[in-house]
Amino acid sequence: DLIIDQSEYFLEDDLYLSDDHMMSIEGSAGESREINGVGHTIYLSSQASNVIQILDDLNVTFKDVVFKNYTDDAFLIGDGVNLLFGDGVRLDFAENYEMVWDWRLDGNVALRGNGTRLNIAPFGSITVLPGSNVTFQNLQIDGLKANNVTCADSSTLTFNQCDLCLSHNYSFTSGAIIFGQDVRMTGTNRFSYESDQVITVSNCSRLTLDGVTFRYAPSVANRDLFVLVDRSSELFLDGA
């Protein structure tokens, strides 16, 4: 097993975690641990469970690392843990699964669905911290509601080739959104855009609103925050 008990740890090679080879992040309450992947990959075995264990009351940040076959089940997180996926982290999904806790994303972070489905459970959420750029690629996200995906004013969410499924009314209150390639938003609920930042449909891209009511209500008096980049950018209303 790999035990990390120093403030900063650098991976020297790719890492393979399974029931026979785990990572344990240890320390005293209130201490910080930063795991820098230096561009390497952490491979999680199929249906891996509790292979990354974090003791109580630690502040843990992962940076510059790819998690292959990511699921929340791979983590066993102690009470009072503050876990961040930081700059250069990429989460690669291999199968559909349900997200059960709060992801806190800080920096340039990518989530690659590879055609899978992510369901945000009632206690799941995504929080994007200031100055961050988070990209969702080829992923279906179910369970969008209220503001369970939140973004700081200075941050941007990019959705490329994604299906966004609203389970209740969803409000985006701060930050910017970019829709790239083919993005479809479905549901019989309302998507309220309440940020003072720009919402953009990229070139050669289409945003389809399928049954969704779009409410444009920015926090500033500006009619020009919804941007179609050029003639190849499309907004398609399908029963919306």
Side-chain angles (χ1 to χ4, degrees):
D1 291 353
L2 173 63
I3 297 175
I4 297 175
D5 57 5
Q6 61 262 56
S7 60
E8 193 170 17
Y9 182 87
F10 294 89
L11 290 183
E12 297 179 351
D13 207 342
D14 292 345
L15 186 63
Y16 295 80
L17 298 180
S18 66
D19 293 340
D20 298 323
H21 184 54
M22 301 183 181
M23 174 188 291
S24 179
I25 303 172
E26 303 178 356
S28 300
E31 290 186 339
S32 296
R33 300 287 181 262
E34 182 178 295
I35 296 89
N36 192 320
V38 200
H40 292 302
T41 297
I42 297 176
Y43 291 89
L44 304 171
S45 64
S46 178
Q47 298 181 340
S49 179
N50 300 336
V51 295
I52 300 175
Q53 302 181 2
I54 306 175
L55 296 188
D56 294 350
D57 300 312
L58 290 179
N59 302 302
V60 176
T61 301
F62 286 92
K63 287 186 175 181
D64 197 19
V65 65
V66 177
F67 286 91
K68 279 284 191 181
N69 305 323
Y70 179 87
T71 71
D72 288 350
D73 291 339
F75 286 80
L76 178 62
I77 298 177
D79 294 335
V81 167
N82 177 25
L83 175 62
L84 287 179
F85 293 118
D87 198 50
V89 166
R90 193 178 88 205
L91 307 182
D92 276 13
F93 310 123
E95 57 185 25
N96 302 335
Y97 85 102
E98 186 171 75
M99 173 187 178
V100 296
W101 42 274
D102 179 31
W103 292 352
R104 302 180 71 238
L105 310 179
D106 185 16
N108 294 307
V109 178
L111 293 85
R112 293 193 179 178
N114 302 302
T116 61
R117 183 178 69 250
L118 170 67
N119 181 47
I120 304 177
F123 296 105
S125 62
I126 298 174
T127 302
V128 179
L129 299 184
S132 298
N133 293 283
V134 176
T135 300
F136 300 81
Q137 178 74 41
N138 195 17
L139 179 66
Q140 177 175 318
I141 303 176
D142 292 350
L144 282 170
K145 64 178 181 179
N147 57 348
N148 59 357
V149 177
T150 60
C151 186
D153 278 336
S154 55
S155 295
T156 300
L157 299 184
T158 299
F159 297 96
N160 293 328
Q161 200 68 34
C162 289
D163 289 333
L164 309 176
C165 305
L166 276 60
S167 61
H168 296 82
N169 294 337
Y170 171 70
S171 299
F172 189 82
T173 57
S174 60
I177 297 181
I178 298 172
F179 296 109
Q181 300 172 332
D182 190 5
V183 177
R184 177 178 292 269
M185 185 177 294
T186 62
T188 57
N189 308 102
R190 184 176 66 241
F191 168 50
S192 296
Y193 193 81
E194 302 173 10
S195 175
D196 60 1
Q197 303 297 309
V198 174
I199 178 172
T200 303
V201 180
S202 298
N203 64 308
C204 299
S205 299
R206 171 187 280 194
L207 170 63
T208 299
L209 300 179
D210 184 354
V212 173
T213 298
F214 178 64
R215 178 175 177 262
Y216 180 79
S219 56
V220 294
N222 190 334
R223 298 180 299 174
D224 301 321
L225 294 178
F226 192 103
V227 175
L228 299 175
V229 172
D230 58 29
R231 291 186 178 181
S232 67
S233 311
E234 297 181 351
L235 172 63
F236 184 72
L237 305 180
D238 186 0

